[in-house]
Amino acid sequence: MDETKEKGAVKDLTVGSPAKLIFYFTLPLLAGNVFQQLFGFVDTLIVGRFLGVEALAAVGCTGSLMFLMLGFIMGATSGFSIYTGQCFGAKDYDGIRYSVIVCMALAVIVSIVLALIGVTWCRELLEVMQTPPEIIDGAYSFIVIIYGGIGGFVLLQMQSNLIRALGDSKMPTVIQALTLCINIALEPIAIILLGLGIPGAAGATIVSLIIGNIVCAIYIFRRVPLLHVRREDFKFDREVILQHMKIGLPMGFQASIIAIGSVILQMSLNELGPVAVASFAAAQRVDGIAVMPMMSFGVAMAAYTAQNFGAKKFARIADGVKKTIWMSCSFSVAAAIFNIMFGAEIIRLFVGEGQEQIVEYGQIFLVTTGLSYWILALLFIFRFTLQGLGQSFVPTVAGVMELIMRVLAAIFLVEYWGYFGACLANPMAWLGAALPLGIAFFITRKNLLRLYKEED
Protein backbone atom coordinates (compact mmCIF):
# COMPACT_ATOMS: atom_id res chain seq x y z
CA MET A 1 0.00 0.00 0.00
CA ASP A 2 1.23 3.48 -0.83
CA GLU A 3 2.20 5.01 2.50
CA THR A 4 0.74 8.39 1.61
CA LYS A 5 -2.67 6.70 1.41
CA GLU A 6 -2.47 5.33 4.93
CA LYS A 7 -4.29 7.05 7.74
CA GLY A 8 -2.41 10.24 8.50
CA ALA A 9 -2.56 13.95 7.92
CA VAL A 10 -0.01 14.82 5.26
CA LYS A 11 -0.18 17.29 2.38
CA ASP A 12 1.66 17.16 -0.93
CA LEU A 13 2.72 20.74 -1.75
CA THR A 14 4.11 19.81 -5.17
CA VAL A 15 0.72 19.77 -6.95
CA GLY A 16 -2.07 22.34 -7.14
CA SER A 17 -2.22 26.13 -7.11
CA PRO A 18 0.91 27.52 -5.37
CA ALA A 19 -0.93 30.57 -3.98
CA LYS A 20 -3.80 28.52 -2.57
CA LEU A 21 -1.48 25.86 -1.11
CA ILE A 22 0.78 28.42 0.55
CA PHE A 23 -2.13 30.49 1.87
CA TYR A 24 -3.98 27.57 3.44
CA PHE A 25 -0.74 26.10 4.78
CA THR A 26 0.09 29.50 6.30
CA LEU A 27 -3.23 30.03 8.11
CA PRO A 28 -2.80 27.33 10.78
CA LEU A 29 0.91 28.09 10.86
CA LEU A 30 0.06 31.72 11.61
CA ALA A 31 -2.27 30.65 14.39
CA GLY A 32 0.44 28.40 15.79
CA ASN A 33 3.06 31.14 15.72
CA VAL A 34 0.65 33.54 17.39
CA PHE A 35 0.02 30.97 20.11
CA GLN A 36 3.79 30.63 20.50
CA GLN A 37 4.14 34.37 20.95
CA LEU A 38 1.24 34.37 23.37
CA PHE A 39 3.36 32.36 25.81
CA GLY A 40 5.54 35.43 26.34
CA PHE A 41 2.54 37.73 26.06
CA VAL A 42 0.70 35.87 28.83
CA ASP A 43 3.79 35.77 31.06
CA THR A 44 4.27 39.50 30.68
CA LEU A 45 0.57 40.35 31.05
CA ILE A 46 -0.04 38.29 34.18
CA VAL A 47 3.21 39.31 35.84
CA GLY A 48 2.70 43.00 35.01
CA ARG A 49 -0.88 43.09 36.23
CA PHE A 50 -0.49 41.04 39.41
CA LEU A 51 3.12 41.65 40.49
CA GLY A 52 3.75 45.24 39.32
CA VAL A 53 5.97 47.25 36.98
CA GLU A 54 9.27 46.09 38.50
CA ALA A 55 8.27 42.45 38.03
CA LEU A 56 7.18 43.30 34.47
CA ALA A 57 10.60 44.81 33.81
CA ALA A 58 12.30 41.77 35.39
CA VAL A 59 10.52 39.31 33.12
CA GLY A 60 10.71 41.69 30.16
CA CYS A 61 14.47 42.16 30.32
CA THR A 62 14.94 38.40 29.89
CA GLY A 63 13.31 38.59 26.45
CA SER A 64 16.60 38.91 24.57
CA LEU A 65 18.12 36.02 26.57
CA MET A 66 15.09 33.87 25.81
CA PHE A 67 15.38 34.81 22.13
CA LEU A 68 19.06 33.84 22.27
CA MET A 69 18.06 30.26 23.10
CA LEU A 70 14.58 29.95 21.64
CA GLY A 71 15.61 31.54 18.36
CA PHE A 72 18.37 28.96 17.97
CA ILE A 73 15.93 26.16 18.78
CA MET A 74 13.27 27.33 16.32
CA GLY A 75 15.84 27.83 13.58
CA ALA A 76 17.71 24.56 14.15
CA THR A 77 14.64 22.32 14.46
CA SER A 78 13.10 23.91 11.38
CA GLY A 79 16.36 23.36 9.51
CA PHE A 80 16.69 19.72 10.59
CA SER A 81 13.19 19.00 9.26
CA ILE A 82 13.88 20.56 5.84
CA TYR A 83 15.68 17.34 4.89
CA THR A 84 12.51 15.46 5.93
CA GLY A 85 10.42 17.66 3.63
CA GLN A 86 12.82 17.11 0.73
CA CYS A 87 12.53 13.34 1.23
CA PHE A 88 8.74 13.62 1.26
CA GLY A 89 8.77 15.61 -1.98
CA ALA A 90 10.98 12.95 -3.56
CA LYS A 91 8.68 10.16 -2.19
CA ASP A 92 11.65 8.69 -0.31
CA TYR A 93 9.83 7.11 2.65
CA ASP A 94 12.88 5.27 3.99
CA GLY A 95 14.64 8.63 4.00
CA ILE A 96 11.79 10.19 5.97
CA ARG A 97 12.02 7.56 8.71
CA TYR A 98 15.78 7.87 9.02
CA SER A 99 15.42 11.65 9.09
CA VAL A 100 13.06 11.31 12.06
CA ILE A 101 15.74 9.37 13.97
CA VAL A 102 18.43 11.94 13.15
CA CYS A 103 16.17 14.90 13.99
CA MET A 104 15.14 13.54 17.38
CA ALA A 105 18.71 12.54 18.30
CA LEU A 106 19.96 16.02 17.41
CA ALA A 107 17.08 17.56 19.38
CA VAL A 108 18.06 15.64 22.52
CA ILE A 109 21.70 16.69 22.17
CA VAL A 110 20.69 20.32 21.64
CA SER A 111 18.42 20.17 24.70
CA ILE A 112 21.19 18.95 27.00
CA VAL A 113 23.82 21.40 25.72
CA LEU A 114 21.54 24.45 25.88
CA ALA A 115 20.23 23.60 29.34
CA LEU A 116 23.76 23.25 30.73
CA ILE A 117 24.95 26.48 29.14
CA GLY A 118 21.84 28.44 30.09
CA VAL A 119 21.62 27.41 33.73
CA THR A 120 25.36 27.88 34.24
CA TRP A 121 25.72 31.30 32.67
CA CYS A 122 22.37 33.10 32.83
CA ARG A 123 23.21 35.08 36.01
CA GLU A 124 26.49 36.26 34.49
CA LEU A 125 24.73 37.25 31.28
CA LEU A 126 22.21 39.35 33.21
CA GLU A 127 25.08 41.10 34.98
CA VAL A 128 26.96 41.68 31.72
CA MET A 129 23.76 43.18 30.30
CA GLN A 130 23.83 45.68 33.20
CA THR A 131 20.39 44.61 34.39
CA PRO A 132 19.22 47.16 37.00
CA PRO A 133 19.88 45.91 40.59
CA GLU A 134 16.23 46.25 41.58
CA ILE A 135 15.09 43.70 38.97
CA ILE A 136 18.04 41.33 38.48
CA ASP A 137 16.98 38.80 41.12
CA GLY A 138 13.49 38.54 39.65
CA ALA A 139 14.91 38.23 36.15
CA TYR A 140 17.27 35.45 37.26
CA SER A 141 14.53 33.52 39.07
CA PHE A 142 12.52 33.49 35.83
CA ILE A 143 15.16 32.75 33.21
CA VAL A 144 17.03 30.02 35.14
CA ILE A 145 13.83 27.93 35.32
CA ILE A 146 13.08 28.51 31.63
CA TYR A 147 16.61 27.45 30.69
CA GLY A 148 16.45 24.43 32.98
CA GLY A 149 13.34 23.18 31.17
CA ILE A 150 14.46 24.20 27.69
CA GLY A 151 14.30 20.59 26.52
CA GLY A 152 10.51 20.74 26.60
CA PHE A 153 10.55 23.54 24.06
CA VAL A 154 13.17 21.81 21.86
CA LEU A 155 11.29 18.52 21.64
CA LEU A 156 7.91 20.18 21.04
CA GLN A 157 9.37 22.28 18.23
CA MET A 158 11.09 19.27 16.70
CA GLN A 159 7.96 17.12 16.70
CA SER A 160 5.87 19.99 15.33
CA ASN A 161 8.34 20.71 12.53
CA LEU A 162 8.47 17.06 11.49
CA ILE A 163 4.68 17.09 11.13
CA ARG A 164 4.82 20.36 9.16
CA ALA A 165 7.49 18.92 6.85
CA LEU A 166 4.83 16.47 5.63
CA GLY A 167 2.47 19.34 4.83
CA ASP A 168 0.31 19.27 7.98
CA SER A 169 0.34 22.70 9.59
CA LYS A 170 -3.01 22.29 11.38
CA MET A 171 -2.32 19.80 14.15
CA PRO A 172 0.82 21.52 15.48
CA THR A 173 -1.36 24.61 15.83
CA VAL A 174 -3.99 22.72 17.79
CA ILE A 175 -1.32 21.33 20.11
CA GLN A 176 0.23 24.77 20.62
CA ALA A 177 -3.22 26.18 21.42
CA LEU A 178 -3.79 23.43 23.98
CA THR A 179 -0.37 24.05 25.51
CA LEU A 180 -1.07 27.78 25.76
CA CYS A 181 -4.46 27.20 27.39
CA ILE A 182 -2.81 24.99 29.99
CA ASN A 183 -0.20 27.69 30.58
CA ILE A 184 -2.87 30.37 30.98
CA ALA A 185 -4.70 28.20 33.50
CA LEU A 186 -1.60 27.31 35.52
CA GLU A 187 0.07 30.73 35.76
CA PRO A 188 -2.54 32.51 37.92
CA ILE A 189 -2.68 29.43 40.14
CA ALA A 190 1.10 29.42 40.57
CA ILE A 191 1.46 33.20 40.98
CA ILE A 192 -1.62 34.09 43.01
CA LEU A 193 -3.00 30.99 44.75
CA LEU A 194 0.33 29.30 45.48
CA GLY A 195 2.19 32.59 45.96
CA LEU A 196 5.17 31.49 43.87
CA GLY A 197 5.59 34.88 42.15
CA ILE A 198 7.86 35.15 39.11
CA PRO A 199 9.27 31.58 39.42
CA GLY A 200 5.69 30.33 39.35
CA ALA A 201 5.16 31.91 35.92
CA ALA A 202 8.24 30.13 34.56
CA GLY A 203 7.31 26.82 36.16
CA ALA A 204 3.81 26.91 34.70
CA THR A 205 5.30 27.40 31.24
CA ILE A 206 7.57 24.35 31.61
CA VAL A 207 4.73 22.13 32.85
CA SER A 208 2.53 23.16 29.91
CA LEU A 209 5.35 22.31 27.47
CA ILE A 210 5.73 18.84 28.95
CA ILE A 211 2.02 18.17 28.48
CA GLY A 212 2.20 19.54 24.91
CA ASN A 213 5.02 17.11 24.09
CA ILE A 214 3.01 14.15 25.34
CA VAL A 215 0.00 15.14 23.25
CA CYS A 216 2.17 15.65 20.15
CA ALA A 217 3.83 12.24 20.55
CA ILE A 218 0.44 10.53 20.89
CA TYR A 219 -0.79 12.27 17.72
CA ILE A 220 2.23 11.13 15.72
CA PHE A 221 1.82 7.57 17.01
CA ARG A 222 -1.85 7.43 16.08
CA ARG A 223 -2.14 9.61 12.96
CA VAL A 224 1.21 10.07 11.17
CA PRO A 225 2.52 6.64 10.08
CA LEU A 226 5.17 8.17 7.83
CA LEU A 227 7.01 9.32 10.97
CA HIS A 228 6.98 5.86 12.58
CA VAL A 229 10.47 4.38 12.71
CA ARG A 230 11.27 0.68 12.56
CA ARG A 231 14.12 -1.30 14.05
CA GLU A 232 15.83 -1.63 10.65
CA ASP A 233 15.79 2.17 10.28
CA PHE A 234 18.39 2.55 13.03
CA LYS A 235 21.75 2.84 11.32
CA PHE A 236 24.64 5.25 10.99
CA ASP A 237 24.79 7.31 7.82
CA ARG A 238 27.40 9.99 8.30
CA GLU A 239 26.49 11.83 5.11
CA VAL A 240 22.80 12.14 6.00
CA ILE A 241 23.57 13.26 9.55
CA LEU A 242 25.94 15.92 8.25
CA GLN A 243 23.30 17.04 5.75
CA HIS A 244 20.82 17.64 8.60
CA MET A 245 23.44 19.55 10.58
CA LYS A 246 24.55 21.52 7.52
CA ILE A 247 21.04 22.92 7.11
CA GLY A 248 19.84 23.05 10.72
CA LEU A 249 22.78 24.37 12.72
CA PRO A 250 23.41 27.44 10.51
CA MET A 251 19.69 28.28 10.73
CA GLY A 252 19.94 28.07 14.51
CA PHE A 253 23.11 30.13 14.64
CA GLN A 254 21.54 32.77 12.42
CA ALA A 255 18.84 33.32 15.01
CA SER A 256 21.40 33.34 17.82
CA ILE A 257 23.56 35.86 15.97
CA ILE A 258 20.49 38.06 15.62
CA ALA A 259 19.73 37.54 19.31
CA ILE A 260 23.23 38.65 20.32
CA GLY A 261 22.40 41.98 18.73
CA SER A 262 19.23 42.09 20.83
CA VAL A 263 21.25 41.35 23.99
CA ILE A 264 23.65 44.21 23.22
CA LEU A 265 20.71 46.50 22.51
CA GLN A 266 19.12 45.43 25.81
CA MET A 267 22.33 46.44 27.59
CA SER A 268 22.01 49.98 26.26
CA LEU A 269 18.31 49.99 27.04
CA ASN A 270 18.93 48.88 30.64
CA GLU A 271 20.94 52.05 31.20
CA LEU A 272 17.79 54.09 30.47
CA GLY A 273 16.05 52.63 33.55
CA PRO A 274 13.11 50.34 34.46
CA VAL A 275 10.47 52.50 32.74
CA ALA A 276 12.24 52.26 29.37
CA VAL A 277 12.84 48.52 29.90
CA ALA A 278 9.18 47.88 30.78
CA SER A 279 7.95 49.96 27.82
CA PHE A 280 10.22 48.14 25.39
CA ALA A 281 9.22 44.76 26.84
CA ALA A 282 5.49 45.40 26.56
CA ALA A 283 5.78 46.84 23.04
CA GLN A 284 7.89 43.88 21.91
CA ARG A 285 5.16 41.48 23.01
CA VAL A 286 2.65 43.31 20.81
CA ASP A 287 5.16 43.55 17.98
CA GLY A 288 5.97 39.85 18.29
CA ILE A 289 2.37 38.94 17.52
CA ALA A 290 2.02 41.55 14.77
CA VAL A 291 4.95 40.18 12.76
CA MET A 292 3.63 36.60 12.87
CA PRO A 293 1.82 36.79 9.50
CA MET A 294 5.09 37.70 7.78
CA MET A 295 7.05 35.04 9.64
CA SER A 296 4.38 32.43 8.96
CA PHE A 297 4.46 33.07 5.21
CA GLY A 298 8.23 32.68 5.38
CA VAL A 299 8.07 29.37 7.26
CA ALA A 300 5.43 28.14 4.80
CA MET A 301 7.84 28.91 1.97
CA ALA A 302 10.50 26.72 3.60
CA ALA A 303 8.16 23.70 3.61
CA TYR A 304 6.81 24.49 0.13
CA THR A 305 10.28 25.02 -1.31
CA ALA A 306 11.75 21.90 0.31
CA GLN A 307 9.05 19.61 -1.09
CA ASN A 308 9.18 21.12 -4.59
CA PHE A 309 12.97 21.09 -4.63
CA GLY A 310 12.88 17.39 -3.72
CA ALA A 311 10.39 16.84 -6.55
CA LYS A 312 12.57 18.94 -8.93
CA LYS A 313 9.69 21.33 -9.68
CA PHE A 314 11.82 24.46 -9.85
CA ALA A 315 9.41 26.72 -11.73
CA ARG A 316 6.79 26.18 -9.00
CA ILE A 317 9.23 27.55 -6.43
CA ALA A 318 9.70 30.84 -8.32
CA ASP A 319 5.96 31.13 -8.90
CA GLY A 320 5.24 30.49 -5.22
CA VAL A 321 7.66 33.18 -4.11
CA LYS A 322 6.09 35.79 -6.39
CA LYS A 323 2.58 35.10 -5.11
CA THR A 324 3.70 34.95 -1.48
CA ILE A 325 5.34 38.36 -1.71
CA TRP A 326 1.99 39.91 -2.61
CA MET A 327 0.16 38.12 0.19
CA SER A 328 2.76 38.75 2.90
CA CYS A 329 3.29 42.42 2.06
CA SER A 330 -0.47 42.96 2.21
CA PHE A 331 -0.53 41.47 5.70
CA SER A 332 2.43 43.65 6.69
CA VAL A 333 0.50 46.81 5.82
CA ALA A 334 -2.55 45.62 7.78
CA ALA A 335 -0.38 44.77 10.82
CA ALA A 336 1.25 48.20 10.74
CA ILE A 337 -2.11 49.97 10.61
CA PHE A 338 -3.41 47.86 13.52
CA ASN A 339 -0.36 48.64 15.69
CA ILE A 340 -0.53 52.35 14.99
CA MET A 341 -4.26 52.55 15.72
CA PHE A 342 -4.61 50.17 18.68
CA GLY A 343 -1.09 49.59 20.02
CA ALA A 344 -1.38 52.03 22.90
CA GLU A 345 -4.54 50.40 24.25
CA ILE A 346 -2.96 46.96 24.13
CA ILE A 347 0.13 48.16 25.98
CA ARG A 348 -2.15 49.66 28.63
CA LEU A 349 -3.38 46.11 29.32
CA PHE A 350 0.05 45.24 30.66
CA VAL A 351 0.42 48.11 33.10
CA GLY A 352 -3.09 49.36 33.84
CA GLU A 353 -4.07 53.00 34.21
CA GLY A 354 -1.69 55.69 35.46
CA GLN A 355 1.38 54.49 33.53
CA GLU A 356 1.12 56.87 30.58
CA GLN A 357 4.86 57.25 30.07
CA ILE A 358 5.19 53.51 29.50
CA VAL A 359 2.24 53.59 27.09
CA GLU A 360 3.73 56.57 25.21
CA TYR A 361 7.14 54.94 24.91
CA GLY A 362 5.56 51.68 23.77
CA GLN A 363 3.61 53.43 21.06
CA ILE A 364 6.79 55.05 19.72
CA PHE A 365 8.27 51.58 19.29
CA LEU A 366 5.19 50.18 17.55
CA VAL A 367 4.91 53.04 15.06
CA THR A 368 8.63 52.98 14.23
CA THR A 369 8.75 49.24 13.59
CA GLY A 370 5.31 49.01 11.99
CA LEU A 371 6.29 51.34 9.15
CA SER A 372 9.07 48.86 8.26
CA TYR A 373 7.06 45.62 8.32
CA TRP A 374 7.09 45.36 4.53
CA ILE A 375 10.88 45.00 4.64
CA LEU A 376 10.52 42.21 7.18
CA ALA A 377 7.99 40.45 4.92
CA LEU A 378 10.52 40.31 2.07
CA LEU A 379 13.29 39.28 4.45
CA PHE A 380 11.37 36.24 5.71
CA ILE A 381 10.35 35.09 2.23
CA PHE A 382 13.86 35.31 0.80
CA ARG A 383 15.51 33.76 3.88
CA PHE A 384 13.20 30.75 4.23
CA THR A 385 13.10 30.07 0.50
CA LEU A 386 16.89 29.88 0.37
CA GLN A 387 16.89 27.67 3.46
CA GLY A 388 14.26 25.40 1.90
CA LEU A 389 16.71 24.93 -0.96
CA GLY A 390 19.35 23.86 1.55
CA GLN A 391 21.38 27.07 1.32
CA SER A 392 22.91 28.38 4.54
CA PHE A 393 25.75 30.78 3.70
CA VAL A 394 23.83 33.89 2.61
CA PRO A 395 21.16 33.56 5.33
CA THR A 396 24.03 33.41 7.83
CA VAL A 397 25.57 36.55 6.31
CA ALA A 398 22.17 38.21 6.63
CA GLY A 399 22.10 37.25 10.31
CA VAL A 400 25.50 38.88 10.77
CA MET A 401 24.16 42.02 9.08
CA GLU A 402 21.27 42.10 11.56
CA LEU A 403 23.77 41.81 14.40
CA ILE A 404 25.90 44.65 13.06
CA MET A 405 22.92 46.95 12.59
CA ARG A 406 21.59 46.34 16.11
CA VAL A 407 25.04 46.89 17.61
CA LEU A 408 25.37 50.17 15.73
CA ALA A 409 21.97 51.25 17.03
CA ALA A 410 22.95 50.28 20.59
CA ILE A 411 26.27 52.10 20.47
CA PHE A 412 25.40 55.24 18.56
CA LEU A 413 21.65 55.80 18.26
CA VAL A 414 20.75 55.06 21.89
CA GLU A 415 23.64 57.28 22.98
CA TYR A 416 22.32 60.29 21.04
CA TRP A 417 18.57 59.67 20.71
CA GLY A 418 17.84 57.58 23.78
CA TYR A 419 14.75 55.38 23.63
CA PHE A 420 13.89 56.38 20.04
CA GLY A 421 17.35 55.24 18.96
CA ALA A 422 16.60 51.79 20.41
CA CYS A 423 13.34 51.71 18.46
CA LEU A 424 15.25 52.22 15.19
CA ALA A 425 17.30 49.06 15.74
CA ASN A 426 14.77 46.66 14.18
CA PRO A 427 14.15 48.61 10.95
CA MET A 428 17.91 49.03 10.49
CA ALA A 429 18.52 45.31 11.10
CA TRP A 430 15.76 44.23 8.72
CA LEU A 431 17.04 46.43 5.92
CA GLY A 432 20.63 45.27 6.42
CA ALA A 433 19.58 41.62 6.21
CA ALA A 434 17.06 41.94 3.38
CA LEU A 435 19.61 43.34 0.92
CA PRO A 436 21.97 40.32 0.69
CA LEU A 437 19.03 37.90 0.90
CA GLY A 438 17.23 39.64 -1.97
CA ILE A 439 20.34 39.62 -4.16
CA ALA A 440 21.01 35.94 -3.42
CA PHE A 441 17.41 34.99 -4.10
CA PHE A 442 17.24 36.62 -7.53
CA ILE A 443 20.51 34.95 -8.54
CA THR A 444 19.15 31.62 -7.31
CA ARG A 445 15.84 32.19 -9.06
CA LYS A 446 17.64 32.67 -12.36
CA ASN A 447 19.53 29.40 -11.84
CA LEU A 448 16.35 27.52 -10.87
CA LEU A 449 14.53 28.66 -13.99
CA ARG A 450 17.52 27.56 -16.06
CA LEU A 451 17.37 24.13 -14.42
CA TYR A 452 13.63 24.00 -15.15
CA LYS A 453 14.26 24.57 -18.85
CA GLU A 454 16.91 21.86 -18.85
CA GLU A 455 14.55 19.42 -17.10
CA ASP A 456 11.84 20.34 -19.63
Side-chain angles (χ1 to χ4, degrees):
M1 180 185 291
D2 185 349
E3 294 189 60
T4 61
K5 300 299 183 183
E6 293 183 18
K7 185 179 181 182
V10 297
K11 179 67 176 177
D12 190 345
L13 302 176
T14 65
V15 293
S17 165
K20 184 179 294 186
L21 285 169
I22 293 168
F23 182 77
Y24 284 111
F25 186 88
T26 299
L27 286 181
L29 194 62
L30 169 59
N33 284 330
V34 169
F35 283 127
Q36 192 62 61
Q37 287 295 317
L38 284 174
F39 272 103
F41 189 97
V42 168
D43 283 334
T44 307
L45 180 62
I46 294 176
V47 169
R49 294 290 287 190
F50 291 107
L51 299 179
V53 172
E54 279 198 3
L56 170 63
V59 173
C61 76
T62 66
S64 56
L65 290 183
M66 289 181 66
F67 181 36
L68 186 64
M69 289 284 194
L70 301 186
F72 177 85
I73 292 165
M74 295 176 71
T77 55
S78 178
F80 294 152
S81 65
I82 281 176
Y83 186 91
T84 316
Q86 291 176 347
C87 289
F88 181 68
K91 305 298 186 288
D92 178 8
Y93 304 122
D94 289 336
I96 292 174
R97 286 190 292 269
Y98 187 60
S99 180
V100 172
I101 295 172
V102 175
C103 285
M104 294 308 296
L106 290 172
V108 171
I109 294 172
V110 167
S111 298
I112 295 171
V113 172
L114 292 184
L116 289 173
I117 293 173
V119 171
T120 303
W121 295 102
C122 61
R123 180 80 186 198
E124 286 75 7
L125 286 172
L126 287 169
E127 292 173 352
V128 169
M129 290 168 60
Q130 301 176 27
T131 304
E134 60 267 37
I135 63 175
I136 191 170
D137 289 336
Y140 173 76
S141 69
F142 181 82
I143 196 65
V144 72
I145 295 174
I146 294 294
Y147 279 172
I150 203 76
F153 190 83
V154 177
L155 296 176
L156 184 58
Q157 284 294 306
M158 191 70 262
Q159 291 187 89
S160 298
N161 280 317
L162 284 170
I163 296 171
R164 291 189 186 105
L166 304 187
D168 177 9
S169 59
K170 295 179 182 178
M171 196 58 196
T173 301
V174 173
I175 294 171
Q176 285 179 325
L178 174 64
T179 307
L180 176 67
C181 290
I182 294 170
N183 188 40
I184 292 173
L186 291 179
E187 282 206 18
I189 295 173
I191 293 174
I192 302 169
L193 296 182
L194 299 180
L196 297 178
I198 293 176
T205 299
I206 299 303
V207 171
S208 66
L209 288 171
I210 293 172
I211 297 173
N213 270 289
I214 294 172
V215 173
C216 198
I218 292 172
Y219 175 75
I220 290 174
F221 177 76
R222 297 184 63 180
R223 298 297 305 273
V224 195
L226 287 179
L227 298 181
H228 295 177
V229 298
R230 306 167 303 189
R231 181 177 299 178
E232 56 266 33
D233 295 318
F234 286 85
K235 56 188 177 180
F236 182 81
D237 189 325
R238 181 175 178 272
E239 187 60 35
V240 174
I241 294 172
L242 289 177
Q243 188 65 24
H244 281 77
M245 296 173 66
K246 179 183 176 183
I247 302 174
L249 292 181
M251 286 179 65
F253 286 127
Q254 289 159 29
S256 292
I257 289 170
I258 295 168
I260 291 171
S262 298
V263 170
I264 294 172
L265 179 63
Q266 186 70 50
M267 291 170 60
S268 296
L269 196 65
N270 287 342
E271 295 180 354
L272 300 179
V275 171
V277 173
S279 303
F280 207 82
Q284 279 187 314
R285 297 307 188 194
V286 180
D287 174 71
I289 295 176
V291 302
M292 282 301 103
M294 290 79 81
M295 181 177 179
S296 299
F297 275 112
V299 174
M301 280 307 302
Y304 173 86
T305 301
Q307 285 195 21
N308 282 280
F309 184 70
K312 297 184 178 181
K313 296 187 176 182
F314 308 119
R316 279 179 60 84
I317 297 174
D319 188 34
V321 169
K322 181 172 68 175
K323 290 180 169 65
T324 305
I325 286 175
W326 281 105
M327 290 188 289
S328 186
C329 285
S330 298
F331 272 92
S332 73
V333 173
I337 293 173
F338 181 87
N339 272 9
I340 292 170
M341 293 181 64
F342 304 108
E345 293 305 314
I346 298 176
I347 292 171
R348 195 170 279 111
L349 292 175
F350 290 96
V351 296
E353 300 297 331
Q355 300 289 343
E356 292 308 309
Q357 187 175 12
I358 291 179
V359 174
E360 180 183 345
Y361 275 15
Q363 182 69 353
I364 291 172
F365 176 94
L366 293 176
V367 172
T368 305
T369 56
L371 293 175
S372 306
Y373 280 167
W374 65 275
I375 301 175
L376 184 63
L378 296 176
L379 186 160
F380 279 134
I381 292 171
F382 295 149
R383 171 177 283 156
F384 281 100
T385 299
L386 293 173
Q387 290 170 341
L389 295 170
Q391 298 185 23
S392 58
F393 177 73
V394 175
T396 302
V397 170
V400 173
M401 287 297 295
E402 287 199 52
L403 167 63
I404 292 172
M405 290 300 186
R406 284 197 172 88
V407 171
L408 289 175
I411 294 175
F412 297 107
L413 299 188
V414 175
E415 175 71 21
Y416 292 103
W417 291 343
Y419 182 84
F420 178 64
C423 295
L424 290 173
N426 276 348
M428 286 177 56
W430 298 339
L431 181 60
L435 289 175
L437 287 169
I439 294 170
F441 168 74
F442 283 107
I443 293 174
T444 302
R445 177 180 177 275
K446 182 179 179 181
N447 292 334
L448 286 175
L449 292 176
R450 179 176 55 80
L451 287 173
Y452 168 71
K453 292 178 180 177
E454 291 176 359
E455 289 288 332
D456 229 20

